[in-house]
Short mmCIF file of all heavy atoms in Angstrom, two decimals:
data_model
loop_
_atom_site.label_atom_id
_atom_site.label_comp_id
_atom_site.label_asym_id
_atom_site.label_seq_id
_atom_site.Cartn_x
_atom_site.Cartn_y
_atom_site.Cartn_z
N MET A 14 10.33 13.54 9.50
CA MET A 14 10.94 12.24 9.62
C MET A 14 10.11 11.38 10.58
O MET A 14 9.79 11.81 11.68
CB MET A 14 12.37 12.39 10.10
CG MET A 14 13.07 11.08 10.34
SD MET A 14 14.78 11.29 10.84
CE MET A 14 15.48 11.70 9.27
N GLN A 15 9.77 10.20 10.16
CA GLN A 15 8.97 9.30 10.99
C GLN A 15 9.87 8.63 12.05
O GLN A 15 10.98 8.21 11.74
CB GLN A 15 8.36 8.20 10.10
CG GLN A 15 7.35 8.71 9.09
CD GLN A 15 5.99 8.83 9.72
OE1 GLN A 15 5.50 7.92 10.33
NE2 GLN A 15 5.37 9.97 9.52
N GLN A 16 9.38 8.59 13.27
CA GLN A 16 10.08 7.96 14.38
C GLN A 16 9.10 7.10 15.17
O GLN A 16 7.92 7.42 15.30
CB GLN A 16 10.67 9.03 15.32
CG GLN A 16 11.71 9.90 14.67
CD GLN A 16 13.01 9.17 14.40
OE1 GLN A 16 13.30 8.12 14.94
NE2 GLN A 16 13.80 9.76 13.50
N ALA A 17 9.59 6.00 15.72
CA ALA A 17 8.75 5.07 16.49
C ALA A 17 8.53 5.59 17.91
O ALA A 17 9.44 6.17 18.52
CB ALA A 17 9.40 3.69 16.54
N ILE A 18 7.32 5.35 18.43
CA ILE A 18 7.01 5.65 19.83
C ILE A 18 7.64 4.53 20.67
O ILE A 18 7.38 3.35 20.43
CB ILE A 18 5.50 5.71 20.08
CG1 ILE A 18 4.87 6.86 19.29
CG2 ILE A 18 5.22 5.86 21.58
CD1 ILE A 18 3.34 6.88 19.37
N ILE A 19 8.45 4.92 21.67
CA ILE A 19 9.06 3.91 22.53
C ILE A 19 8.55 3.98 23.97
O ILE A 19 8.91 3.15 24.79
CB ILE A 19 10.60 4.01 22.51
CG1 ILE A 19 11.08 5.38 22.98
CG2 ILE A 19 11.13 3.68 21.10
CD1 ILE A 19 12.58 5.48 23.21
N GLY A 20 7.74 4.99 24.27
CA GLY A 20 7.17 5.13 25.63
C GLY A 20 6.32 6.37 25.73
O GLY A 20 6.18 7.12 24.77
N PHE A 21 5.78 6.59 26.92
CA PHE A 21 4.93 7.73 27.18
C PHE A 21 5.23 8.24 28.59
O PHE A 21 5.63 7.48 29.47
CB PHE A 21 3.43 7.34 27.12
CG PHE A 21 2.95 6.94 25.78
CD1 PHE A 21 2.96 5.61 25.37
CD2 PHE A 21 2.49 7.89 24.86
CE1 PHE A 21 2.51 5.23 24.13
CE2 PHE A 21 2.05 7.52 23.60
CZ PHE A 21 2.06 6.18 23.24
N HIS A 22 5.00 9.54 28.80
CA HIS A 22 5.03 10.11 30.12
C HIS A 22 4.10 11.31 30.18
O HIS A 22 3.66 11.81 29.16
CB HIS A 22 6.48 10.51 30.51
CG HIS A 22 7.00 11.68 29.72
ND1 HIS A 22 7.63 11.54 28.50
CD2 HIS A 22 6.98 13.02 29.99
CE1 HIS A 22 7.97 12.76 28.05
NE2 HIS A 22 7.60 13.66 28.94
N LEU A 23 3.78 11.72 31.41
CA LEU A 23 2.93 12.89 31.62
C LEU A 23 3.83 14.10 31.82
O LEU A 23 4.84 14.02 32.54
CB LEU A 23 2.06 12.71 32.86
CG LEU A 23 0.88 11.77 32.70
CD1 LEU A 23 0.24 11.49 34.06
CD2 LEU A 23 -0.16 12.32 31.75
N ASP A 24 3.45 15.25 31.22
CA ASP A 24 4.20 16.45 31.47
C ASP A 24 3.72 17.13 32.74
O ASP A 24 2.85 16.59 33.43
CB ASP A 24 4.15 17.39 30.23
CG ASP A 24 2.79 18.03 29.98
OD1 ASP A 24 1.87 17.87 30.80
OD2 ASP A 24 2.65 18.71 28.94
N GLU A 25 4.24 18.32 33.04
CA GLU A 25 3.90 19.01 34.27
C GLU A 25 2.43 19.46 34.32
O GLU A 25 1.88 19.70 35.39
CB GLU A 25 4.81 20.22 34.50
CG GLU A 25 4.76 21.28 33.42
CD GLU A 25 5.59 20.94 32.16
OE1 GLU A 25 6.39 20.00 32.18
OE2 GLU A 25 5.39 21.63 31.16
N GLU A 26 1.78 19.53 33.16
CA GLU A 26 0.36 19.89 33.12
C GLU A 26 -0.55 18.67 32.98
O GLU A 26 -1.75 18.80 32.69
CB GLU A 26 0.11 20.86 31.94
CG GLU A 26 0.84 22.17 32.11
CD GLU A 26 0.69 23.09 30.92
OE1 GLU A 26 -0.04 22.73 29.94
OE2 GLU A 26 1.29 24.18 30.93
N GLN A 27 0.03 17.47 33.15
CA GLN A 27 -0.70 16.20 33.09
C GLN A 27 -1.23 15.88 31.70
O GLN A 27 -2.26 15.26 31.54
CB GLN A 27 -1.83 16.17 34.12
CG GLN A 27 -1.37 16.35 35.56
CD GLN A 27 -0.31 15.31 35.97
OE1 GLN A 27 -0.59 14.13 36.00
NE2 GLN A 27 0.91 15.75 36.28
N HIS A 28 -0.47 16.30 30.67
CA HIS A 28 -0.77 15.94 29.28
C HIS A 28 0.18 14.81 28.88
O HIS A 28 1.35 14.80 29.25
CB HIS A 28 -0.55 17.13 28.34
CG HIS A 28 -1.48 18.27 28.56
ND1 HIS A 28 -2.82 18.22 28.20
CD2 HIS A 28 -1.29 19.46 29.16
CE1 HIS A 28 -3.39 19.36 28.53
NE2 HIS A 28 -2.49 20.14 29.13
N TRP A 29 -0.32 13.86 28.10
CA TRP A 29 0.49 12.73 27.67
C TRP A 29 1.46 13.16 26.57
O TRP A 29 1.12 13.91 25.66
CB TRP A 29 -0.36 11.57 27.18
CG TRP A 29 -0.98 10.87 28.33
CD1 TRP A 29 -2.26 10.94 28.75
CD2 TRP A 29 -0.30 9.98 29.24
NE1 TRP A 29 -2.45 10.16 29.88
CE2 TRP A 29 -1.27 9.56 30.19
CE3 TRP A 29 0.99 9.51 29.34
CZ2 TRP A 29 -0.94 8.70 31.23
CZ3 TRP A 29 1.30 8.64 30.40
CH2 TRP A 29 0.34 8.24 31.33
N VAL A 30 2.70 12.66 26.70
CA VAL A 30 3.78 12.95 25.76
C VAL A 30 4.37 11.63 25.31
O VAL A 30 4.65 10.76 26.12
CB VAL A 30 4.87 13.79 26.46
CG1 VAL A 30 6.02 14.07 25.53
CG2 VAL A 30 4.29 15.09 27.01
N ALA A 31 4.54 11.49 23.99
CA ALA A 31 5.18 10.29 23.43
C ALA A 31 6.68 10.48 23.45
O ALA A 31 7.19 11.54 23.05
CB ALA A 31 4.69 10.05 22.00
N ASP A 32 7.40 9.45 23.89
CA ASP A 32 8.86 9.42 23.80
C ASP A 32 9.20 8.71 22.49
O ASP A 32 8.75 7.59 22.24
CB ASP A 32 9.44 8.62 24.98
CG ASP A 32 9.03 9.21 26.32
OD1 ASP A 32 9.11 10.45 26.46
OD2 ASP A 32 8.64 8.43 27.21
N LEU A 33 10.01 9.37 21.65
CA LEU A 33 10.31 8.85 20.33
C LEU A 33 11.69 8.23 20.28
O LEU A 33 12.59 8.59 21.06
CB LEU A 33 10.18 9.97 19.28
CG LEU A 33 8.82 10.66 19.24
CD1 LEU A 33 8.85 11.79 18.22
CD2 LEU A 33 7.73 9.68 18.95
N ALA A 34 11.93 7.31 19.36
CA ALA A 34 13.17 6.59 19.24
C ALA A 34 14.35 7.52 18.99
O ALA A 34 15.49 7.20 19.37
CB ALA A 34 13.07 5.54 18.10
N CYS A 35 14.13 8.67 18.41
CA CYS A 35 15.20 9.62 18.10
C CYS A 35 15.66 10.40 19.34
O CYS A 35 16.65 11.11 19.29
CB CYS A 35 14.74 10.60 17.03
SG CYS A 35 13.29 11.56 17.51
N GLY A 36 14.93 10.24 20.45
CA GLY A 36 15.25 10.98 21.66
C GLY A 36 14.40 12.21 21.89
O GLY A 36 14.45 12.81 22.95
N HIS A 37 13.63 12.60 20.89
CA HIS A 37 12.73 13.74 21.03
C HIS A 37 11.40 13.27 21.64
O HIS A 37 11.18 12.07 21.82
CB HIS A 37 12.45 14.38 19.65
CG HIS A 37 13.67 15.02 19.07
ND1 HIS A 37 14.09 14.77 17.78
CD2 HIS A 37 14.57 15.88 19.60
CE1 HIS A 37 15.19 15.45 17.54
NE2 HIS A 37 15.51 16.14 18.62
N THR A 38 10.54 14.22 21.94
CA THR A 38 9.21 13.91 22.49
C THR A 38 8.15 14.67 21.70
O THR A 38 8.47 15.65 21.01
CB THR A 38 9.13 14.34 23.97
OG1 THR A 38 9.37 15.74 24.08
CG2 THR A 38 10.12 13.56 24.83
N GLN A 39 6.92 14.22 21.80
CA GLN A 39 5.82 14.91 21.13
C GLN A 39 4.53 14.69 21.93
O GLN A 39 4.23 13.57 22.33
CB GLN A 39 5.65 14.35 19.71
CG GLN A 39 4.61 15.10 18.91
CD GLN A 39 4.67 14.70 17.46
OE1 GLN A 39 5.72 14.56 16.88
NE2 GLN A 39 3.52 14.48 16.88
N HIS A 40 3.80 15.79 22.17
CA HIS A 40 2.51 15.66 22.85
C HIS A 40 1.54 14.84 22.01
O HIS A 40 1.53 14.96 20.78
CB HIS A 40 1.91 17.05 23.11
CG HIS A 40 2.50 17.70 24.32
ND1 HIS A 40 3.53 18.58 24.25
CD2 HIS A 40 2.20 17.58 25.62
CE1 HIS A 40 3.84 19.00 25.45
NE2 HIS A 40 3.05 18.40 26.31
N VAL A 41 0.77 14.01 22.68
CA VAL A 41 -0.30 13.22 22.02
C VAL A 41 -1.57 13.42 22.82
O VAL A 41 -2.11 12.51 23.42
CB VAL A 41 0.10 11.73 21.90
CG1 VAL A 41 1.12 11.52 20.80
CG2 VAL A 41 0.62 11.15 23.21
N ARG A 42 -2.05 14.65 22.80
CA ARG A 42 -3.23 15.03 23.58
C ARG A 42 -4.51 14.50 22.93
O ARG A 42 -4.62 14.35 21.74
CB ARG A 42 -3.32 16.54 23.66
CG ARG A 42 -2.20 17.19 24.44
CD ARG A 42 -2.42 18.69 24.47
NE ARG A 42 -1.35 19.37 25.19
CZ ARG A 42 -0.31 19.97 24.63
NH1 ARG A 42 -0.18 19.98 23.30
NH2 ARG A 42 0.59 20.58 25.37
N HIS A 43 -5.48 14.25 23.83
CA HIS A 43 -6.85 13.95 23.40
C HIS A 43 -7.69 15.16 23.78
O HIS A 43 -8.10 15.32 24.92
CB HIS A 43 -7.36 12.69 24.09
CG HIS A 43 -8.79 12.39 23.75
ND1 HIS A 43 -9.24 12.21 22.48
CD2 HIS A 43 -9.88 12.21 24.57
CE1 HIS A 43 -10.55 11.95 22.49
NE2 HIS A 43 -10.95 11.95 23.77
N THR A 44 -7.88 16.08 22.82
CA THR A 44 -8.64 17.30 23.06
C THR A 44 -9.63 17.52 21.92
O THR A 44 -9.43 18.37 21.07
CB THR A 44 -7.70 18.53 23.19
OG1 THR A 44 -6.86 18.55 22.02
CG2 THR A 44 -6.85 18.47 24.42
N PRO A 45 -10.69 16.69 21.89
CA PRO A 45 -11.70 16.84 20.82
C PRO A 45 -12.29 18.25 20.82
O PRO A 45 -12.38 18.83 21.90
CB PRO A 45 -12.76 15.80 21.17
CG PRO A 45 -12.15 14.92 22.19
CD PRO A 45 -11.03 15.67 22.83
N PRO A 46 -12.67 18.78 19.71
CA PRO A 46 -12.62 18.17 18.37
C PRO A 46 -11.30 18.39 17.63
O PRO A 46 -11.12 17.94 16.53
CB PRO A 46 -13.75 18.91 17.63
CG PRO A 46 -13.72 20.27 18.24
CD PRO A 46 -13.36 20.07 19.71
N TRP A 47 -10.33 19.07 18.25
CA TRP A 47 -9.09 19.38 17.56
C TRP A 47 -8.18 18.16 17.42
O TRP A 47 -7.59 17.94 16.36
CB TRP A 47 -8.33 20.50 18.28
CG TRP A 47 -9.15 21.74 18.33
CD1 TRP A 47 -9.38 22.61 17.32
CD2 TRP A 47 -9.91 22.21 19.43
NE1 TRP A 47 -10.21 23.62 17.73
CE2 TRP A 47 -10.57 23.39 19.02
CE3 TRP A 47 -10.12 21.75 20.74
CZ2 TRP A 47 -11.40 24.11 19.87
CZ3 TRP A 47 -10.95 22.48 21.56
CH2 TRP A 47 -11.56 23.64 21.14
N GLN A 48 -8.02 17.39 18.46
CA GLN A 48 -7.19 16.19 18.41
C GLN A 48 -7.98 15.05 19.03
O GLN A 48 -8.30 15.09 20.22
CB GLN A 48 -5.88 16.41 19.15
CG GLN A 48 -5.02 17.48 18.53
CD GLN A 48 -3.92 17.94 19.45
OE1 GLN A 48 -4.08 18.06 20.66
NE2 GLN A 48 -2.75 18.17 18.88
N ASN A 49 -8.29 14.05 18.23
CA ASN A 49 -9.12 12.94 18.69
C ASN A 49 -8.23 11.70 18.89
O ASN A 49 -8.02 10.93 17.95
CB ASN A 49 -10.24 12.70 17.69
CG ASN A 49 -11.29 11.77 18.26
OD1 ASN A 49 -11.36 11.56 19.47
ND2 ASN A 49 -12.11 11.22 17.40
N ARG A 50 -7.74 11.55 20.09
CA ARG A 50 -6.87 10.41 20.43
C ARG A 50 -7.34 9.76 21.72
O ARG A 50 -6.65 9.78 22.72
CB ARG A 50 -5.43 10.88 20.58
CG ARG A 50 -4.82 11.42 19.29
CD ARG A 50 -3.36 11.79 19.55
NE ARG A 50 -2.76 12.32 18.37
CZ ARG A 50 -2.20 13.51 18.26
NH1 ARG A 50 -2.14 14.32 19.31
NH2 ARG A 50 -1.66 13.93 17.15
N PRO A 51 -8.52 9.14 21.72
CA PRO A 51 -9.03 8.55 22.96
C PRO A 51 -8.12 7.43 23.50
O PRO A 51 -8.11 7.16 24.70
CB PRO A 51 -10.40 8.01 22.57
CG PRO A 51 -10.39 7.88 21.09
CD PRO A 51 -9.43 8.93 20.60
N TRP A 52 -7.34 6.81 22.62
CA TRP A 52 -6.45 5.72 23.05
C TRP A 52 -5.41 6.20 24.06
O TRP A 52 -4.95 5.39 24.87
CB TRP A 52 -5.75 5.09 21.83
CG TRP A 52 -5.00 6.08 20.99
CD1 TRP A 52 -5.45 6.71 19.86
CD2 TRP A 52 -3.65 6.54 21.17
NE1 TRP A 52 -4.49 7.55 19.36
CE2 TRP A 52 -3.39 7.46 20.11
CE3 TRP A 52 -2.66 6.28 22.11
CZ2 TRP A 52 -2.15 8.11 19.98
CZ3 TRP A 52 -1.44 6.92 21.98
CH2 TRP A 52 -1.19 7.82 20.94
N VAL A 53 -5.05 7.46 24.07
CA VAL A 53 -4.01 7.94 24.96
C VAL A 53 -4.50 7.98 26.43
O VAL A 53 -3.68 8.02 27.34
CB VAL A 53 -3.47 9.32 24.52
CG1 VAL A 53 -4.39 10.46 24.93
CG2 VAL A 53 -2.06 9.55 25.05
N MET A 54 -5.78 7.90 26.63
CA MET A 54 -6.34 8.00 27.97
C MET A 54 -6.27 6.72 28.79
O MET A 54 -6.51 6.73 29.98
CB MET A 54 -7.79 8.49 27.88
CG MET A 54 -7.98 9.81 27.13
SD MET A 54 -6.98 11.17 27.76
CE MET A 54 -7.74 11.42 29.35
N THR A 55 -5.93 5.59 28.14
CA THR A 55 -5.85 4.33 28.89
C THR A 55 -4.46 3.70 28.74
O THR A 55 -3.79 3.88 27.72
CB THR A 55 -6.89 3.30 28.41
OG1 THR A 55 -6.55 2.92 27.07
CG2 THR A 55 -8.29 3.87 28.45
N GLU A 56 -4.03 2.97 29.73
CA GLU A 56 -2.76 2.26 29.70
C GLU A 56 -2.74 1.29 28.52
O GLU A 56 -1.75 1.21 27.79
CB GLU A 56 -2.52 1.52 31.02
CG GLU A 56 -1.23 0.72 31.05
CD GLU A 56 0.01 1.57 31.04
OE1 GLU A 56 -0.05 2.75 31.48
OE2 GLU A 56 1.05 1.09 30.55
N GLN A 57 -3.84 0.56 28.32
CA GLN A 57 -3.89 -0.41 27.23
C GLN A 57 -3.75 0.32 25.87
O GLN A 57 -3.04 -0.14 25.00
CB GLN A 57 -5.20 -1.18 27.26
CG GLN A 57 -5.30 -2.17 26.11
CD GLN A 57 -6.63 -2.94 26.13
OE1 GLN A 57 -7.36 -2.90 27.08
NE2 GLN A 57 -6.90 -3.63 25.04
N GLY A 58 -4.44 1.43 25.73
CA GLY A 58 -4.37 2.19 24.48
C GLY A 58 -2.97 2.67 24.18
O GLY A 58 -2.49 2.57 23.05
N ARG A 59 -2.27 3.18 25.21
CA ARG A 59 -0.90 3.62 25.02
C ARG A 59 0.01 2.44 24.67
O ARG A 59 0.84 2.54 23.79
CB ARG A 59 -0.41 4.37 26.25
CG ARG A 59 -1.12 5.72 26.43
CD ARG A 59 -0.52 6.52 27.57
NE ARG A 59 -0.57 5.86 28.85
CZ ARG A 59 -1.63 5.85 29.66
NH1 ARG A 59 -2.73 6.48 29.33
NH2 ARG A 59 -1.57 5.22 30.82
N GLN A 60 -0.15 1.32 25.36
CA GLN A 60 0.68 0.15 25.09
C GLN A 60 0.49 -0.33 23.65
O GLN A 60 1.46 -0.74 23.01
CB GLN A 60 0.34 -0.99 26.07
CG GLN A 60 0.80 -0.71 27.48
CD GLN A 60 2.32 -0.65 27.59
OE1 GLN A 60 3.03 -1.44 27.01
NE2 GLN A 60 2.79 0.35 28.32
N GLU A 61 -0.73 -0.26 23.14
CA GLU A 61 -0.99 -0.69 21.76
C GLU A 61 -0.34 0.20 20.73
O GLU A 61 -0.12 -0.21 19.60
CB GLU A 61 -2.50 -0.76 21.53
CG GLU A 61 -3.18 -1.88 22.28
CD GLU A 61 -4.70 -1.85 22.17
OE1 GLU A 61 -5.27 -0.89 21.56
OE2 GLU A 61 -5.35 -2.76 22.72
N LYS A 62 0.01 1.43 21.11
CA LYS A 62 0.63 2.37 20.17
C LYS A 62 2.16 2.36 20.22
O LYS A 62 2.82 3.05 19.42
CB LYS A 62 0.13 3.80 20.44
CG LYS A 62 -1.36 3.94 20.20
CD LYS A 62 -1.76 3.67 18.77
CE LYS A 62 -3.26 3.90 18.58
NZ LYS A 62 -3.72 3.53 17.27
N LEU A 63 2.73 1.60 21.14
CA LEU A 63 4.20 1.47 21.15
C LEU A 63 4.66 0.92 19.80
O LEU A 63 4.07 -0.03 19.29
CB LEU A 63 4.68 0.57 22.29
CG LEU A 63 4.47 1.13 23.70
CD1 LEU A 63 4.89 0.11 24.73
CD2 LEU A 63 5.19 2.45 23.88
N GLY A 64 5.66 1.54 19.21
CA GLY A 64 6.15 1.12 17.91
C GLY A 64 5.48 1.87 16.76
O GLY A 64 5.99 1.84 15.63
N MET A 65 4.36 2.55 17.03
CA MET A 65 3.69 3.33 16.00
C MET A 65 4.61 4.47 15.55
O MET A 65 5.33 5.04 16.36
CB MET A 65 2.40 3.91 16.53
CG MET A 65 1.59 4.68 15.51
SD MET A 65 0.03 5.30 16.20
CE MET A 65 0.50 7.00 16.50
N MET A 66 4.59 4.78 14.28
CA MET A 66 5.42 5.85 13.75
C MET A 66 4.69 7.18 13.80
O MET A 66 3.51 7.28 13.47
CB MET A 66 5.81 5.53 12.32
CG MET A 66 6.54 4.20 12.12
SD MET A 66 8.08 4.10 13.01
CE MET A 66 9.14 5.00 11.90
N LEU A 67 5.42 8.22 14.30
CA LEU A 67 4.91 9.58 14.32
C LEU A 67 5.89 10.48 13.57
O LEU A 67 7.10 10.21 13.56
CB LEU A 67 4.81 10.11 15.76
CG LEU A 67 3.65 9.74 16.62
CD1 LEU A 67 3.79 10.41 18.00
CD2 LEU A 67 2.36 10.11 15.99
N GLU A 68 5.38 11.53 12.99
CA GLU A 68 6.23 12.51 12.35
C GLU A 68 6.88 13.34 13.44
O GLU A 68 6.22 13.97 14.26
CB GLU A 68 5.39 13.40 11.43
CG GLU A 68 6.17 14.23 10.48
CD GLU A 68 6.88 13.41 9.42
OE1 GLU A 68 6.40 12.33 9.04
OE2 GLU A 68 7.94 13.86 8.99
N CYS A 69 8.23 13.32 13.49
CA CYS A 69 8.95 14.08 14.52
C CYS A 69 9.23 15.48 13.99
O CYS A 69 10.03 15.68 13.08
CB CYS A 69 10.26 13.40 14.90
SG CYS A 69 11.18 14.36 16.15
N LYS A 70 8.57 16.46 14.59
CA LYS A 70 8.73 17.84 14.16
C LYS A 70 10.13 18.36 14.40
O LYS A 70 10.69 19.10 13.62
CB LYS A 70 7.70 18.71 14.86
CG LYS A 70 6.26 18.32 14.53
CD LYS A 70 5.24 19.02 15.38
CE LYS A 70 3.85 18.46 15.08
NZ LYS A 70 2.83 19.00 15.97
N LYS A 71 10.74 17.94 15.51
CA LYS A 71 12.10 18.41 15.83
C LYS A 71 13.13 17.85 14.87
O LYS A 71 14.05 18.57 14.46
CB LYS A 71 12.45 18.09 17.28
CG LYS A 71 11.66 18.92 18.27
CD LYS A 71 12.08 18.65 19.69
CE LYS A 71 11.23 19.47 20.65
NZ LYS A 71 11.53 19.18 22.05
N CYS A 72 13.00 16.58 14.49
CA CYS A 72 13.93 16.01 13.48
C CYS A 72 13.77 16.74 12.16
O CYS A 72 14.77 17.04 11.49
CB CYS A 72 13.66 14.53 13.29
SG CYS A 72 14.36 13.47 14.58
N ASN A 73 12.53 17.04 11.79
CA ASN A 73 12.29 17.76 10.53
C ASN A 73 12.92 19.14 10.58
O ASN A 73 13.54 19.59 9.61
CB ASN A 73 10.79 17.88 10.26
CG ASN A 73 10.19 16.56 9.82
OD1 ASN A 73 10.87 15.63 9.41
ND2 ASN A 73 8.88 16.47 9.97
N GLU A 74 12.82 19.83 11.71
CA GLU A 74 13.44 21.16 11.86
C GLU A 74 14.94 21.08 11.76
O GLU A 74 15.57 21.91 11.11
CB GLU A 74 13.03 21.78 13.18
CG GLU A 74 11.58 22.21 13.27
CD GLU A 74 11.16 22.62 14.68
OE1 GLU A 74 12.03 22.68 15.58
OE2 GLU A 74 9.97 22.89 14.86
N GLU A 75 15.54 20.06 12.38
CA GLU A 75 16.99 19.90 12.36
C GLU A 75 17.50 19.64 10.95
O GLU A 75 18.60 20.06 10.58
CB GLU A 75 17.43 18.77 13.28
CG GLU A 75 17.25 19.12 14.75
CD GLU A 75 17.53 17.95 15.68
OE1 GLU A 75 17.85 16.83 15.19
OE2 GLU A 75 17.42 18.12 16.90
N ASN A 76 16.73 18.96 10.13
CA ASN A 76 17.13 18.66 8.75
C ASN A 76 17.08 19.88 7.85
O ASN A 76 17.65 19.87 6.77
CB ASN A 76 16.24 17.54 8.17
CG ASN A 76 16.56 16.19 8.77
OD1 ASN A 76 17.69 15.94 9.19
ND2 ASN A 76 15.59 15.33 8.82
N PHE A 77 16.39 20.94 8.29
CA PHE A 77 16.28 22.16 7.48
C PHE A 77 17.24 23.25 7.95
O PHE A 77 17.25 24.33 7.41
CB PHE A 77 14.84 22.68 7.46
CG PHE A 77 13.95 21.82 6.62
CD1 PHE A 77 12.99 21.03 7.19
CD2 PHE A 77 14.08 21.82 5.23
CE1 PHE A 77 12.17 20.21 6.41
CE2 PHE A 77 13.26 21.01 4.46
CZ PHE A 77 12.31 20.22 5.03
N GLU A 78 18.03 22.98 8.99
CA GLU A 78 18.95 24.00 9.50
C GLU A 78 20.22 24.01 8.69
O GLU A 78 20.65 23.15 8.07
CB GLU A 78 19.28 23.74 10.95
CG GLU A 78 18.10 23.98 11.86
CD GLU A 78 18.39 23.70 13.31
OE1 GLU A 78 19.46 23.21 13.64
OE2 GLU A 78 17.53 24.00 14.12
#
């Protein structure tokens, strides 16, 4: 299920996490070559992604229970 990004925060390991409209969260790491998200490394990049839709893995799991 697609959910909008409404904010970001750092976890205890200093990795960026997207806060989703559904109340769930999802890591948005920049760890090339596996995950290429250079935008997450700057405040401007994160601000530009507010409202972007992400697939919420937890919502998808809940729909299959």
Side-chain angles (χ1 to χ4, degrees):
M14 176 178 284
Q15 295 275 311
Q16 297 289 342
I18 297 174
I19 60 170
F21 294 93
H22 69 273
L23 286 170
D24 70 6
E25 61 280 349
E26 296 176 3
Q27 301 302 298
H28 294 286
W29 285 104
V30 178
D32 302 314
L33 304 178
C35 60
H37 294 130
T38 60
Q39 186 169 317
H40 279 96
V41 285
R42 294 180 180 100
H43 175 58
T44 53
W47 300 283
Q48 296 165 321
N49 193 17
R50 296 183 180 121
W52 55 265
V53 80
M54 304 306 292
T55 67
E56 178 68 27
Q57 179 181 349
R59 292 186 300 277
Q60 289 296 316
E61 289 173 357
K62 297 297 183 185
L63 292 176
M65 183 178 101
M66 303 299 280
L67 280 182
E68 194 68 30
C69 179
K70 297 171 186 174
K71 290 183 181 176
C72 281
N73 287 342
E74 290 171 5
E75 290 173 0
N76 288 331
F77 287 109
E78 291 179 353

